[in-house]
Amino acid sequence: DRYMQTIVDRIERAIKDGRSALVFFETEERLLMFQKSDYWKRIPNANIMLSTSTKEDRSYATKKAATSKQVTIATAVFGRGTDFFCHDTKLDAAGGMIVIQAFLSVEKSEEMQVMGRTARQGKKGSYCMVLLEPDLAKFGIQADECRRTSQRELYSWLDAKRQSLHGRNLSSLREKVREANEIDEDTRKYVAAIKRNDIACARRLLEKFNGAR
């Protein structure tokens, strides 16, 4: 599996250099799949952060993450607002923490949050993404399209695809809100028509409701 192989290669390179590695998977299912793979056996000294982890375990993993040769594997939820502060001079001298994002965020704001888990408070660090081609289908991206795009232009192209999907989703959401507001208004009019015994108005609104189904 080239996807998992690449993730492990990045981790091993960082550990060899005396750095630490923080890997974010989009879902708990994908993280556990990685943990159960043979690639996991190649990673020493790794902590896992899940939504089901105890408060004590999460606190321990957070404090240990930014120390030399430490590996931390977490789900995307910990990429927002979790502070992995570096107090290890050896780690900073070696180049700091590398954050590996193993998925493409639907919203760029999440990606910025994940990226911001490293190089905090003037410390050194780096960031990269490792993507699995089938995961990109939800963005309307086919695997052969990725291969036809140059490495230099790949990220900009992926980001444009993502922004396009986000725009369509936003437009769809706005339309649903508009429809919901219209139904709410018509419902109020229907109730008012019944109260004042305006049968003709109530019948028109009822026909409109039935026609909308």
Side-chain angles (χ1 to χ4, degrees):
D1 188 316
R2 187 179 175 188
Y3 170 70
M4 293 188 180
Q5 175 72 58
T6 302
I7 293 172
V8 172
D9 286 347
R10 295 292 178 95
I11 292 172
E12 289 182 330
R13 193 180 310 158
I15 300 307
K16 182 180 179 181
D17 292 340
R19 302 177 66 189
S20 66
L22 176 57
V23 184
F24 288 103
F25 286 99
E26 184 171 20
T27 64
E28 185 171 309
E29 180 183 11
R30 180 62 61 79
L31 186 155
L32 293 176
M33 185 184 301
F34 179 67
Q35 185 188 21
K36 293 175 182 177
S37 72
D38 290 335
Y39 295 101
W40 178 259
K41 299 174 184 177
R42 292 167 49 183
I43 304 174
N45 199 30
N47 290 322
I48 294 178
M49 297 177 67
L50 301 171
S51 58
T52 53
S53 300
T54 65
K55 184 178 180 180
E56 291 74 17
D57 287 343
R58 292 198 302 268
S59 178
Y60 176 79
T62 300
K63 291 176 181 177
K64 288 285 290 180
T67 55
S68 179
K69 300 188 176 182
Q70 176 65 53
V71 179
T72 307
I73 314 294
T75 50
V77 66
F78 295 103
R80 287 182 177 270
T82 306
D83 291 321
F84 301 92
F85 292 119
C86 175
H87 302 291
D88 186 344
T89 55
K90 289 183 179 179
L91 174 62
D92 198 49
M97 174 193 290
I98 179 172
V99 167
I100 303 170
Q101 183 173 340
F103 64 97
L104 180 65
S105 297
V106 174
E107 296 184 11
K108 191 166 185 176
S109 60
E110 179 185 57
E111 181 182 306
M112 293 298 100
Q113 286 284 329
V114 171
M115 187 185 300
R117 296 314 94 196
T118 188
R120 298 177 67 80
Q121 297 184 326
K123 302 296 183 180
K124 296 178 181 178
S126 60
Y127 165 90
C128 70
M129 265 195 280
V130 179
L131 306 178
L132 184 63
E133 286 182 342
D135 289 347
L136 301 177
K138 66 183 178 184
F139 297 94
I141 299 172
Q142 302 300 318
D144 60 334
E145 292 182 284
C146 294
R147 300 188 191 110
R148 290 201 302 268
T149 306
S150 69
Q151 288 294 316
R152 186 175 183 178
E153 299 175 346
L154 185 57
Y155 177 78
S156 296
W157 180 77
L158 289 171
D159 186 45
K161 287 283 189 178
R162 169 176 55 193
Q163 298 291 3
S164 176
L165 174 65
H166 183 65
R168 292 196 300 273
N169 288 344
L170 191 59
S171 296
S172 177
L173 180 60
R174 286 173 176 165
E175 178 61 22
K176 288 179 181 178
V177 170
R178 187 196 65 77
E179 291 174 355
N181 287 336
E182 183 178 343
I183 292 173
D184 179 67
E185 180 64 23
D186 286 344
T187 300
R188 293 174 186 273
K189 290 179 180 178
Y190 176 78
V191 172
I194 293 296
K195 286 182 177 180
R196 67 174 181 268
N197 202 29
D198 188 342
I199 304 302
C201 179
R203 182 180 292 113
R204 286 196 302 273
L205 288 167
L206 192 60
E207 290 174 351
K208 181 178 179 181
F209 291 149
N210 292 332
R213 292 180 179 177

